[in-house]
Amino acid sequence: MGHLDHAAFGWLTPVLSYAMAAIGAALGLRCTVRALGSRGRSRRNWLITAASALGTGIWTMHFVAMLGFGVTGTDIPLTLLSLLVAMLVVGAGVFTVGYGKDRPRALVVGGLTTGLGVASMHYLGMAALRLHGSVAYDPLLVTVSVGIAVVAATAALWAALNIRSAGAVALASLVMGAAVSSMHYTGMLAVDVRVAPSTSALPGAPVMQFIFPLAVGLGSHLFLTSAFVALSPAAREHTAAPPPAVVEDASAERHTRTTAS
């Protein structure tokens, strides 16, 4: 049996992975709040941005944490598939809540879908790892990790529906970051690695050459999304400023009254 090192770089990878999960959660919640206050195309665009931020944050959290796992190879197609799964299932959950008429039912369906998708992303990512030996899982701990993912996803969607203030969103995002990290490390506790020493080269791409640049790129995406959300006017700012047509009509009416008098 091999020794599983979850922190080959010390506290760097656990802390950084938690930060990525919390940032993704905060952006996802803020974008969902904006979506619920919007209509039409604007709502759809905000929900897409929310799904992108949440999916990116969760995926980046997983693979930054995996850098501390000490595995040297990864299968590129499976790794990219895990990213696609994260985006799609989080998007499905967010859109279910964003457009659902029956909020409690939408919350349950969206939370279950998103939670199972996050767990699928995690175990797809694990299947993408390449090492000399075999990997087995403790069924009980796997079940617990999936349960944590479902509860965490449902809590995140509930927060998106019920939390409005920036302070509450920040607190909820910290809790969500802890929940996602707990799901990851619970899943890692379920892993049983049996090493088979070998001098042959591992298939796939080296983790540091593929995952690290990709994680940095997605982290930059989160940063740019943060700037976009911060600079975008809130819904109340849109309602406070009248549309140009209204301003023009008011000016024309004043001009007509002045001419008549």
Side-chain angles (χ1 to χ4, degrees):
M1 184 184 297
H3 171 66
L4 234 100
D5 188 355
H6 296 292
F9 298 96
W11 283 99
L12 176 62
T13 49
V15 171
L16 185 57
S17 63
Y18 169 76
M20 299 307 294
I23 291 171
L27 286 173
L29 291 177
R30 289 301 297 166
C31 291
T32 306
V33 168
R34 294 285 186 90
L36 294 175
S38 305
R39 294 290 182 271
R41 184 183 302 175
S42 178
R43 170 173 288 198
R44 181 201 64 192
N45 292 341
W46 277 117
L47 289 174
I48 291 173
T49 306
S52 173
L54 276 170
T56 298
I58 292 169
W59 188 92
T60 307
M61 176 272 147
H62 170 78
F63 278 98
V64 167
M66 289 308 300
L67 291 177
F69 183 55
V71 176
T72 57
T74 185
D75 181 275
I76 294 178
L78 271 179
T79 301
L80 294 178
L81 177 61
S82 70
L83 174 58
L84 180 62
V85 167
M87 295 287 192
L88 290 179
V89 297
V90 170
V94 167
F95 271 79
T96 298
V97 168
Y99 285 102
K101 301 298 183 182
D102 184 350
R103 286 290 174 83
R105 181 179 179 181
L107 183 61
V108 171
V109 173
L112 183 61
T113 301
T114 305
L116 292 177
V118 169
S120 299
M121 178 278 299
H122 173 85
Y123 289 105
L124 271 174
M126 290 298 298
L129 299 179
R130 295 293 176 258
L131 48 80
H132 293 301
S134 61
V135 177
Y137 295 93
D138 182 326
L140 176 60
L141 287 176
V142 168
T143 302
V144 171
S145 70
V146 173
I148 292 174
V150 172
V151 171
T154 305
L157 295 176
W158 177 89
L161 288 173
N162 295 280
I163 291 178
R164 293 292 179 268
S165 70
V169 167
L171 179 60
S173 66
L174 293 177
V175 174
M176 285 307 307
V180 173
S181 297
S182 298
M183 178 268 159
H184 171 83
Y185 285 106
T186 301
M188 294 308 298
L189 286 175
V191 176
D192 177 15
V193 177
R194 297 187 179 275
V195 177
S198 174
T199 57
S200 62
L202 286 168
V207 170
M208 292 302 291
Q209 291 182 18
F210 174 66
I211 297 298
F212 183 72
L214 188 57
V216 170
L218 292 175
S220 301
H221 166 68
L222 287 178
F223 174 78
L224 293 175
T225 305
S226 301
F228 170 75
V229 173
L231 294 174
S232 296
R236 62 177 177 273
E237 294 172 5
H238 284 297
T239 56
V246 175
V247 176
E248 291 175 3
D249 290 345
S251 300
E253 185 178 350
R254 285 196 298 270
H255 177 71
T256 303
R257 289 176 179 176
T258 303
T259 303
S261 60

